[in-house]
Amino acid sequence: MCIRDRSTGDSLGAFLDGVGVPKVTAHDAHVLPAMLNSEHDVWAFIETPKGVLQVEEVCASGLYQYVAMGLNDLSMELQLPLSYHNQAIANALREKGSTSPPRDQQLFNRRMPLLHAMSRVVMAARAYGVHPIDGVFNDPSDPNGFRQECLEALSMGFSGKTLIHPSQIDIVQEILTPSKMEEDWARKGVEAIEASEGGVAVVDGKMVEDLHAKMAVRILSHLDL
């Protein structure tokens, strides 16, 4: 939601969980506090090359609780070509004799030019305790493609993914919520480390230590959300 002054946010009060700020740069942290209610979480949307280059300052400002990728706008500003993921373009290319790559390769190709920006946002977010959120998947009629992107988000270290359709909710929760296997490992890991005298233990035949205990606690905390 766009808020032009503090009074608007205050009047909405509890009706808002958070406020999204589009096309964030480092400068915004100097002017936004006067426009925001301190009770609302603030989402920074990284949608421009300047935003990517300044994301460390954005996350270090302490203003934002979430930093989200705005990949559609970023793709446009980077002047990226239309990709195989656009089915109409893929069909036109096939009519001209071009061979379409496999589906998973299409998805990878579509986001490959953005991987540096995405990794930089995750790195900055984790360095300053901000939650990194992957960008939207534009085709709600393609659950398999959406599932693939959720798996990519998980593998890259994102905490979540922005959505454009209710049909995407179950898939993103399934993939980004710790599995029963992860939960079982986390509980056993915490118990084993707590019971050990030297901070090192064995779980399921593998060594675990303090860093694994921190991972386990993080997994369990996600289940309590």
Side-chain angles (χ1 to χ4, degrees):
M1 178 175 184
C2 177
I3 290 182
R4 295 183 181 277
D5 56 60
R6 174 70 177 268
S7 62
T8 304
D10 289 341
S11 65
L12 291 171
F15 294 103
L16 288 179
D17 291 323
V19 176
V21 184
K23 301 186 184 300
V24 164
T25 64
H27 172 72
D28 295 319
H30 301 293
V31 298
L32 281 173
M35 303 169 64
L36 299 172
N37 186 317
S38 61
E39 296 181 0
H40 297 149
D41 287 340
V42 185
W43 293 55
F45 280 82
I46 304 300
E47 304 177 275
T48 65
K50 184 180 289 187
V52 173
L53 294 177
Q54 296 178 354
V55 69
E56 290 87 353
E57 296 174 71
V58 169
C59 291
S61 70
L63 178 64
Y64 308 99
Q65 289 72 49
Y66 300 86
V67 57
M69 300 301 310
L71 296 178
N72 289 331
D73 284 272
L74 183 59
S75 296
M76 184 272 293
E77 297 232 4
L78 291 174
Q79 302 182 28
L80 299 183
L82 292 174
S83 69
Y84 278 112
H85 186 63
N86 185 317
Q87 194 58 48
I89 298 297
N91 291 339
L93 290 172
R94 277 197 297 271
E95 290 177 2
K96 295 181 179 181
S98 175
T99 301
S100 179
R103 178 63 176 165
D104 58 348
Q105 188 67 37
Q106 292 178 34
L107 288 166
F108 176 77
N109 286 345
R110 187 179 73 85
R111 298 197 350 148
M112 184 170 59
L114 300 165
L115 293 182
H116 168 72
M118 296 166 68
S119 295
R120 185 163 180 167
V121 167
V122 171
M123 189 74 70
R126 296 305 183 195
Y128 294 102
V130 180
H131 296 289
I133 308 297
D134 191 16
V136 301
F137 182 75
N138 294 319
D139 186 357
S141 68
D142 181 8
N144 291 330
F146 179 66
R147 179 179 296 275
Q148 177 68 29
E149 278 205 359
C150 288
L151 290 169
E152 289 177 6
L154 179 65
S155 69
M156 293 187 69
F158 285 99
S159 295
K161 190 167 178 64
T162 50
L163 309 179
I164 61 171
H165 194 274
S167 65
Q168 298 175 329
I169 294 174
D170 289 344
I171 295 175
V172 76
Q173 287 184 335
E174 171 196 341
I175 293 175
L176 296 181
T177 300
S179 67
K180 184 64 167 63
M181 182 180 298
E182 290 175 298
E183 178 185 354
D184 291 343
W185 174 86
R187 295 192 187 282
K188 288 189 287 187
V190 170
E191 292 172 1
I193 291 294
E194 290 178 347
S196 69
E197 296 182 359
V200 177
V202 176
V203 174
D204 297 333
K206 297 181 179 180
M207 185 191 77
V208 294
E209 52 184 321
D210 184 59
L211 68 91
H212 298 101
K214 292 177 180 178
M215 294 170 60
V217 169
R218 185 170 67 245
I219 289 171
L220 297 176
S221 70
H222 288 168
L223 297 172
D224 294 331
L225 294 178

